[in-house]
């Protein structure tokens, strides 16, 4: 089956800035599967509880009592279930300004988030999940994203502001034997606040520098004795952080709107049905980069950036990236609409709890980009509008008592993606893209108006059966075997039609020198592809309660990341025919090992959790060159083997309700173990191809000989810092302010990342140096629900890059996205 595609426009897209990095007031706990925080028991319900000895393991003044989870479909404290998870409460999210997915990496050291715009977004856990810098409709992510049990197929469809969130859970390691789809690296589970039969509401308004404005509101209450409703909305706007000297406007702004409505029907104590709908819209002028540096490549000097720019009398507006000046001359936009509806039913059948989740979601992406990253008219149009519809159905039955419990599930997923792309070259393209030794480089008309119109379609179907058993053969010992049977089917089509400025079709049959030069810049291609596969996953976790306060556990998981189809174009043979062997990609095979210990001490005032893990991946999905096909063009394929391993430590203390502190650390060693056909870094690219017997020249040798591909076995995976930290503390003192009883509090939160590679193949030009961010907040929290606080983020105005990029063409140009400068503001909040 092949999709009927609407035709209009392609090419890559460019940056949706992750925005200001927020502070972390968070605890990290090793727990199991998709945890749900439940209402804590009354104070004093457990030994040691009381005003001077709280059982809280959270880090906000609003957190009291144990955090409970339903990871094994029963109510348990977060410390009593194994596997690693970071839990961020909704109050912490609000207090720290962590209002979107991009800011979560400052709260959880093992999470990596990279975005050049919503579509080109990657979320990885422990360094794995999705290939860095590669967006392809035909492959899937390894980190599952769920909102209220609904799976979000594309990371791009989850780049919204958090709306009325109760908690966020970041699960580390494979989770596929208990939940939906695509959790070979982990999962992000977002749970929103649910309708209540007691009237309640909350409102929050924030203002800050850079014209920051944010408003949030939610109201919930009964409509009858059996029906309750909840309505929430959020609006965020902020001026951009980069000044575009060409347009005379700030770019990389924020402009977000979100709405959510929920209706709960509870006809009896054993049955509840929730109908939910949501809509989010983003429409900022985004996403741009700034000049960072240049580096020598293997191109001849007259084809490197400095010479090409000088030949056209061009210079960037600044060579200091932190002047935050750019001169991009193409239109910029990151229009993004996401939404959907779901129906969730939970029924206590007597033999177990049956849960059904039915959902439909859509994603509408309308970008505009400047893909030459300069103020020259090289690429004047670059966009890839895309529309997605997805339908999911999940059924789960959980039950069992005493020494034996179980969860059984079935999951169905259907997705259609329709992407239209267009790329058009401008009057400066000939001089920039054609070798100056070719007289055609002096003729602007050769490439001016050259246009590729691409259509991409995908029909993706997946189904799974899964289950897990909890068996206690001995007191304190629990064994949890799990299995998953998965089926995937993908049908795709790709077509690129290229026309020149005279309206002629560019074909492989033509030998006209102008057509040959045009074909070297934008090449036509068309093909269809289909893929289907079954795979079987399994895991086993063993845990032992050494005492009431100490739990040790060990996990082994053997699982798969789904295979896929290559819908970014594939290599062609000498006659221009697509090499279809490159159009399918095999599944990744994952073997995961983990051990951990979780302990409470100091009369439950402190928690220390330790974990060690190793994950081996075979058939890693990445961009390769040459491979078994003997071609030079990069294409998506199975690269070889990857390993990630590391240690994680999470410490929190709360000696009293007046003070709490935390420190979370992650050491991650994520490397390619075998990758012999990797694209070369820019310093080894752009030169002549070697002839038989010729050896490549040294890196950065102008006019040198470039290797066909590079062996980067042993190199670090992109985006992964070896050391990442999150830490902070909050203290408060009781006061009476304006007649209200409450407390004045001071909180400090920080994070640190050591340096990381910002290119799929490590390059001397694209290492992002390590940086530390510090954030402060000072406020008053009233017992009646009123709160006011001032905040400063990036207190020391640290200069750092979120990401560096290597534009195509091997000219040596490096561009990047500076992180947010110091921001500050004031928040008013009332909960009633």
């Amino acid at each position: 089956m092949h999709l009927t595609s609407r035709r209009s426009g392609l090419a890559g897209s460019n940056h949706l800035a992750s925005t200001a990095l927020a502070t972390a007031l968070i605890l990290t706990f090793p727990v199991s599967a998709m945890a749900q925080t439940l209402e804590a028991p009354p104070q004093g319900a457990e030994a040691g509880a009381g005003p001077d000895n709280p059982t809280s393991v959270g880090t906000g003044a609003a957190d009291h009592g144990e955090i409970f989870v339903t990871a094994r479909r029963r109510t348990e404290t977060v410390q009593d279930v194994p596997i690693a998870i970071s839990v961020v409460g909704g109050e912490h999210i609000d207090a720290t300004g962590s209002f979107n997915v991009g800011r979560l990496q400052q709260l959880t050291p093992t999470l990596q988030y990279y975005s050049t715009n919503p579509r080109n977004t990657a979320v990885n856990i422990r360094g794995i999940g999705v290939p860095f810098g590669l967006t392809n409709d035909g492959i899937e992510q390894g980190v599952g994203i769920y909102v209220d049990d609904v799976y979000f197929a594309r990371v791009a469809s989850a780049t919204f502001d958090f709306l009325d969130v109760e908690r966020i859970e970041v699960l580390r390691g494979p989770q596929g034997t208990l939940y939906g789809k695509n959790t070979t690296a982990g999962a992000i589970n977002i749970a929103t606040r649910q309708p209540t039969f007691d009237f309640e509401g909350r409102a929050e308004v924030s203002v800050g520098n850079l014209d920051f404005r944010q408003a949030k509101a939610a109201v919930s209450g009964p409509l009858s004795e059996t029906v309750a409703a909840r309505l929430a909305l959020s609006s965020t706007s902020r001026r951009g952080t980069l000044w575009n000297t060409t347009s005379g406007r700030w770019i990389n702004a924020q402009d977000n709107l979100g709405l959510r409505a929920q209706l709960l029907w509870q006809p009896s104590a054993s049955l509840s049905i929730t109908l939910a709908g949501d809509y989010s819209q983003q429409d900022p002028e985004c996403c741009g980069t700034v000049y960072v540096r240049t580096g020598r490549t293997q191109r001849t000097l007259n084809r490197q950036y400095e010479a090409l720019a000088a030949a056209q009398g061009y210079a960037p507006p600044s060579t200091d990236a932190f002047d935050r000046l750019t001169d991009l001359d193409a239109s910029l936009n990151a229009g993004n609409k996401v939404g959907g509806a779901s129906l969730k039913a939970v029924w206590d059948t007597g033999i177990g709890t049956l849960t059904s989740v039915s959902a439909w979601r859509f994603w509408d992406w309308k970008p505009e980009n400047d893909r030459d990253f300069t103020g020259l008219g090289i690429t004047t149009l670059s966009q890839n509008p895309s529309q997605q519809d997805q339908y999911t159905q999940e059924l789960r039955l959980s039950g069992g008592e005493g020494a034996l419990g179980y969860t059984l599930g079935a999951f169905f997923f259907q997705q259609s993606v329709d992407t239209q792309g267009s790329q058009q070259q401008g009057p400066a393209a000939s001089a920039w893209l054609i070798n100056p030794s070719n007289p055609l480089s002096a003729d602007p008309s050769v490439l001016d108006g050259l246009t590729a119109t691409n259509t991409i379609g995908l029909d993706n179907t997946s189904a799974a059966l899964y289950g897990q058993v909890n068996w206690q053969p001995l007191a304190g010992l629990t064994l949890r075997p799990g299995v998953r049977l998965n089926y995937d089917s993908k049908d795709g089509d790709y077509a690129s039609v290229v026309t020149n400025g005279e309206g002629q079709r560019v074909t492989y049959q033509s030998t006209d020198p102008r057509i040959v030069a045009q074909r070297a810049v934008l090449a036509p291609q068309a093909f269809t592809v289909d893929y289907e596969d079954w795979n079987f996953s399994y895991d086993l976790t063993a845990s032992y309660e050494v005492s009431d306060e100490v739990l040790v556990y060990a996990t082994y998981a053997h699982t798969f990341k789904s295979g896929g189809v290559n819908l970014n174009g594939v290599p062609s043979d000498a006659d221009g025919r697509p090499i279809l062997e490159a159009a399918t990609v095999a599944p990744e095979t994952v073997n995961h090992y983990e051990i951990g210990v979780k302990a409470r001490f100091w009369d439950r005032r402190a928690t220390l959790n330790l974990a060690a893990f190793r994950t081996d991946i075979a058939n890693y999905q990445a961009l390769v060159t040459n491979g078994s096909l003997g071609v030079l063009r990069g294409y998506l394929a199975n690269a070889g083997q990857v390993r990630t391993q590391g240690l994680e430590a999470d410490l929190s203390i709360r000696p009293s309700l007046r003070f709490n502190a935390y420190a979370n650390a992650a050491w991650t060693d994520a490397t390619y173990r075998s990758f012999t056909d990797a694209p070369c870094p820019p310093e080894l690219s752009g030169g002549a191809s070697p002839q038989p017997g010729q050896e490549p020249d040294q890196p950065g040798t102008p006019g040198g000989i470039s290797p066909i591909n590079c062996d980067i076995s042993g190199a670090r995976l992109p985006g992964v810092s070896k050391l990442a930290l999150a830490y902070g503390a909050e203290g408060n003192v009781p006061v009476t302010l304006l007649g209200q009883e409450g407390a004045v509090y001071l909180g400090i939160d920080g994070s640190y990342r050591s340096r990381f590679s910002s290119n799929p193949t490590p390059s001397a030009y694209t290492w992002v140096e390590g940086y530390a961010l510090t954030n402060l907040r000072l406020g008053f929290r009233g017992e009646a629900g009123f709160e006011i606080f001032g905040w400063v983020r990036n207190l020391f105005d640290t200069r750092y890059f979120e990401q560096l990029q290597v534009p195509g063409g091997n000219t040596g140009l490096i561009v990047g996205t500076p992180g947010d400068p110091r921001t500050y503001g004031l928040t008013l909040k009332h909960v009633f």
Side-chain angles (χ1 to χ4, degrees):
M1 177 171 60
H2 300 291
L3 302 175
T4 302
S5 298
R6 295 182 289 275
R7 299 185 179 263
S8 51
L10 163 141
S13 305
N14 221 30
H15 164 87
L16 177 64
S18 304
T19 69
L21 295 165
T23 63
L25 191 58
I26 170 181
L27 280 181
T28 327
F29 310 100
V31 259
S32 177
M34 296 284 187
Q36 274 191 307
T37 305
L38 305 180
E39 182 168 343
Q43 269 192 324
E46 296 199 22
D52 298 322
N53 187 14
T55 61
S56 173
V57 291
T59 61
D63 287 332
H64 303 294
E66 294 274 15
I67 293 179
F68 279 66
V69 297
T70 55
R72 293 186 290 169
R73 307 307 179 190
R74 64 196 71 187
T75 302
E76 302 168 293
T77 69
V78 72
Q79 290 294 98
D80 291 337
V81 286
I83 301 179
I85 183 173
S86 304
V87 183
V88 189
E91 298 299 330
H92 299 161
I93 293 168
D94 294 340
T96 59
S98 307
F99 56 83
N100 58 30
V101 175
R103 297 187 172 194
L104 281 182
Q105 70 173 342
Q106 299 304 311
L107 308 181
T108 56
T110 55
L111 179 71
Q112 296 90 37
Y113 174 91
Y114 314 100
S115 180
T116 55
N117 60 39
R119 185 174 186 266
N120 293 355
T121 297
V123 176
N124 289 346
I125 293 176
R126 294 171 170 172
I128 56 176
V130 67
F132 180 89
L134 177 63
T135 301
N136 193 306
D137 291 330
I139 63 169
E140 300 182 18
Q141 61 212 44
V143 176
I145 297 179
Y146 296 81
V147 179
D148 290 338
D149 283 353
V150 176
Y151 173 67
F152 282 50
R154 306 293 299 187
V155 176
S157 66
T159 55
F160 47 74
D161 283 1
F162 296 144
L163 180 59
D164 201 24
V165 167
E166 177 185 302
R167 72 193 177 278
I168 299 174
E169 302 157 358
V170 180
L171 291 81
R172 286 120 57 186
Q175 308 294 327
T177 64
L178 272 178
Y179 293 87
K181 182 176 174 62
N182 280 357
T183 58
T184 55
I188 297 174
N189 186 42
I190 301 170
T192 68
R193 297 183 178 100
Q194 298 298 298
T196 59
F197 284 96
D198 294 321
F199 180 76
E200 66 176 37
R202 57 183 59 231
E204 179 180 315
V205 176
S206 299
V207 296
N209 67 327
L210 306 184
D211 296 328
F212 177 74
R213 304 287 185 272
Q214 186 175 69
K216 302 178 187 178
V219 62
S220 179
L223 300 181
S224 71
E225 290 186 354
T226 59
V227 178
R230 189 177 193 97
L231 180 65
L233 60 87
S234 172
S235 175
T236 303
S237 64
R238 197 190 72 177
R239 193 204 76 191
T241 56
L242 304 181
W243 177 255
N244 190 332
T245 61
T246 298
S247 65
R249 292 194 297 268
W250 292 98
I251 64 170
N252 293 5
Q254 296 175 13
D255 184 7
N256 308 331
L257 174 68
L259 303 169
R260 173 179 289 274
Q262 297 165 286
L263 191 66
L264 169 65
W265 179 43
Q266 200 166 20
S268 69
S270 62
L271 177 64
S272 66
I273 299 174
T274 303
L275 175 65
D278 67 276
Y279 175 82
S280 296
Q281 177 177 303
Q282 302 170 341
D283 194 24
E285 186 169 357
C286 190
C287 301
T289 56
V290 297
Y291 172 98
V292 175
R293 65 173 68 98
T294 59
R296 286 280 181 253
T297 72
Q298 303 293 83
R299 272 190 167 198
T300 57
L301 284 175
N302 66 347
R303 299 199 69 195
Q304 299 204 32
Y305 175 82
E306 292 90 340
L308 292 170
Q312 301 200 44
Y314 172 76
S318 175
T319 56
D320 183 348
F322 293 98
D323 285 343
R324 301 180 183 271
L325 297 177
T326 188
D327 62 350
L328 303 179
D329 59 337
S331 296
L332 299 176
N333 187 49
N336 198 32
K337 297 178 181 179
V338 296
S342 65
L343 184 67
K344 180 177 180 179
V346 180
W347 179 31
D348 185 354
T349 65
I351 63 170
T353 299
L354 180 65
T355 302
S356 170
V357 183
S358 308
W360 161 75
R361 297 207 59 78
F362 75 89
W363 170 46
D364 189 359
W365 167 233
K366 294 182 178 179
E368 294 178 280
N369 308 283
D370 191 326
R371 290 297 288 175
D372 60 50
F373 302 94
T374 72
L376 291 170
I378 303 168
T379 301
T380 56
L381 179 66
S382 179
Q383 57 190 37
N384 57 343
S386 188
Q387 301 81 42
Q388 171 191 300
D389 281 281
Q390 70 167 67
Y391 301 88
T392 56
Q393 174 63 54
E394 187 163 11
L395 290 172
R396 295 193 302 264
L397 179 65
S398 300
E401 296 181 357
L404 187 65
Y406 66 88
T407 295
L408 302 175
F411 179 80
F412 175 80
F413 168 80
Q414 199 283 325
Q415 172 196 38
S416 63
V417 180
D418 185 6
T419 300
Q420 315 88 45
S422 58
Q423 178 170 320
Q424 187 173 84
Q425 307 307 131
S430 293
W432 194 271
L433 300 176
I434 300 176
N435 193 320
S437 64
N438 186 336
L440 294 178
S441 68
D443 184 353
S445 69
V446 176
L447 296 185
D448 191 13
L450 183 69
T451 302
T453 301
N454 300 349
T455 57
I456 303 170
L458 174 69
D459 188 10
N460 181 7
T461 301
S462 181
L465 298 174
Y466 60 87
Q468 190 177 94
V469 174
N470 305 299
W471 177 43
Q472 293 181 314
L474 301 172
L477 175 65
T478 303
L479 302 178
R480 300 177 184 85
V483 295
R484 179 186 185 91
L485 178 64
N486 202 84
Y487 170 76
D488 287 287
S489 173
K490 295 180 173 71
D491 298 293
D493 58 76
Y494 175 89
S496 179
V497 176
V498 181
T499 57
N500 60 27
E502 289 79 40
Q504 298 174 299
R505 288 279 292 267
V506 174
T507 66
Y508 274 92
Q509 288 71 40
S510 176
T511 58
D512 182 336
R514 293 172 65 92
I515 298 292
V516 172
Q518 293 162 0
R519 194 170 61 223
V521 175
L522 295 175
Q525 188 176 83
F527 63 89
T528 60
V529 59
D530 56 71
Y531 167 90
E532 66 176 352
D533 192 27
W534 292 84
N535 58 60
F536 180 71
S537 302
Y538 52 90
D539 58 41
L540 174 64
T541 296
S543 63
Y544 182 70
E545 296 180 17
V546 178
S547 69
D548 289 342
E549 309 298 348
V550 179
L551 177 75
V552 295
Y553 67 90
T555 296
Y556 168 71
H558 178 77
T559 185
F560 297 85
K561 178 184 170 187
S562 301
V565 294
N566 188 355
L567 296 179
N568 278 1
V570 298
S572 298
D573 63 20
D575 296 321
R577 292 185 295 265
I579 301 176
L580 294 181
E581 292 93 328
T584 58
V585 185
E588 294 180 353
T589 302
V590 180
N591 287 291
H592 174 77
Y593 313 84
E594 185 163 341
I595 58 173
V597 58
K598 303 162 60 175
R600 291 174 291 200
F601 55 96
W602 195 12
D603 202 15
R604 296 197 173 187
R605 292 185 175 101
T607 301
L608 175 63
N609 299 322
L610 304 173
F613 68 90
R614 172 170 171 157
T615 304
D616 294 301
I617 302 176
N619 286 329
Y620 184 70
Q621 297 168 352
L623 193 69
V624 309
T625 56
N626 196 35
S628 61
L629 305 179
V631 297
L632 299 180
R633 183 188 188 279
Y635 61 99
L636 180 66
N638 299 101
Q641 295 182 335
V642 160
R643 182 201 67 202
T644 178
Q645 59 187 6
L647 302 171
E648 298 164 353
D650 310 308
L651 171 68
S652 65
I653 59 171
R654 181 186 282 269
S656 74
L657 291 176
R658 300 298 169 206
F659 179 77
N660 63 80
Y662 67 94
N664 305 324
W667 175 80
T668 307
D669 176 30
T671 57
Y672 300 103
R673 304 315 301 160
S674 175
F675 193 177
T676 59
D677 293 319
C680 291
E683 55 265 42
L684 284 172
S685 301
S689 299
Q691 300 301 313
Q694 276 188 310
E695 292 295 328
D697 288 302
Q698 293 298 313
T701 302
I705 304 299
S706 292
I708 293 175
N709 49 52
C710 286
D711 183 351
I712 60 171
S713 304
R716 196 190 309 181
L717 287 176
V720 184
S721 298
K722 280 200 171 182
L723 180 63
L725 306 172
Y727 46 88
E730 180 184 301
N732 67 80
V733 294
V735 299
T736 300
L737 181 65
L738 300 177
Q740 289 200 46
E741 299 292 330
V744 169
Y745 63 88
L746 174 65
I748 181 171
D749 304 276
S751 61
Y752 170 76
R753 293 187 68 186
S754 63
R755 76 171 192 154
F756 61 90
S757 169
S758 190
N759 196 56
T761 296
S763 165
Y765 308 145
T766 56
W767 284 97
V768 174
E769 294 304 316
Y771 58 87
L773 301 176
T774 303
N775 311 287
L776 288 177
R777 50 198 167 81
L778 173 65
F780 170 78
R781 187 181 292 119
E783 293 180 359
F786 172 75
E787 184 174 355
I788 180 171
F789 62 95
W791 43 266
V792 182
R793 297 171 189 137
N794 191 4
L795 175 66
F796 300 110
D797 203 17
T798 299
R799 294 184 169 194
Y800 67 100
F801 288 104
E802 293 181 358
Q803 192 170 338
L804 299 177
Q805 293 175 256
V806 181
N810 301 311
T811 68
L813 175 63
I814 307 297
V815 299
T817 306
D820 277 357
R822 179 191 298 118
T823 58
Y824 51 86
L826 181 71
T827 296
L828 297 175
K829 180 179 178 181
H830 185 54
V831 179
F832 55 90

